[in-house]
Amino acid sequence: MEMANDAPPPFEDDRTVCVVSVKGLKENWQRWSNEHQEHQKHNPFSSDGQPVCTQPLLGQNGYGRPQEGSLTQRRGQDAQSHIGREVQELCLVIREMGGGHGEEGQPVVEFGQLFERYVTISNKLVGILLRARKQGLVQFEGEMLWQGQDDHVVITLLQ
């Protein structure tokens, strides 16, 4: 009669042979648990006591900003870059379409015409127009533009 080994028999699969021990499972679980506890210390939404992270307080530099070097910061930068390209494309379309010229010779276009042309390019025209106005690139009357009712609002390209 043979004595049993400390290791269980291997689990055979079509692709691999894997030997699993209780000790290895326990070590993996403990490592995951330690990493999770450390992560939760830095999670402001965790109920595991007070977070130990040093988040800036209201009024301090960096408040409301993602942590330097984080994926959140990277995604924000990528989004900012993408929106910047969309605004540039919008200005180019207005410049190309600008049938009339404003008081100082800037290209102008009516919202309805721009909407009809731009709808095939992007479904975010109004949001991009608001961003371009915030950056001082375009000017138009009103807070928001609505298809149909604001079709005759004139949009002026400032730069």
Side-chain angles (χ1 to χ4, degrees), residues 78-91:
D78 291 347
Q80 189 73 17
S81 173
H82 177 75
I83 292 169
R85 286 190 303 272
E86 292 258 356
V87 168
Q88 289 175 351
E89 183 179 351
L90 171 68
C91 292

Side-chain angles (χ1 to χ4, degrees), residues 70-127:
S70 67
L71 285 176
T72 302
Q73 181 188 32
R74 172 82 189 263
R75 286 193 285 279
Q77 290 169 341
D78 291 347
Q80 189 73 17
S81 173
H82 177 75
I83 292 169
R85 286 190 303 272
E86 292 258 356
V87 168
Q88 289 175 351
E89 183 179 351
L90 171 68
C91 292
L92 181 64
V93 169
I94 293 172
R95 188 170 288 116
E96 288 174 355
M97 287 184 66
H101 290 284
E103 297 170 5
E104 298 177 19
Q106 308 105 323
V108 297
V109 66
E110 287 186 349
F111 176 67
Q113 295 170 334
L114 181 62
F115 189 87
E116 289 301 318
R117 167 87 182 272
Y118 207 81
V119 73
T120 60
I121 301 170
S122 171
N123 60 355
K124 312 176 272 294
L125 173 61
V126 175

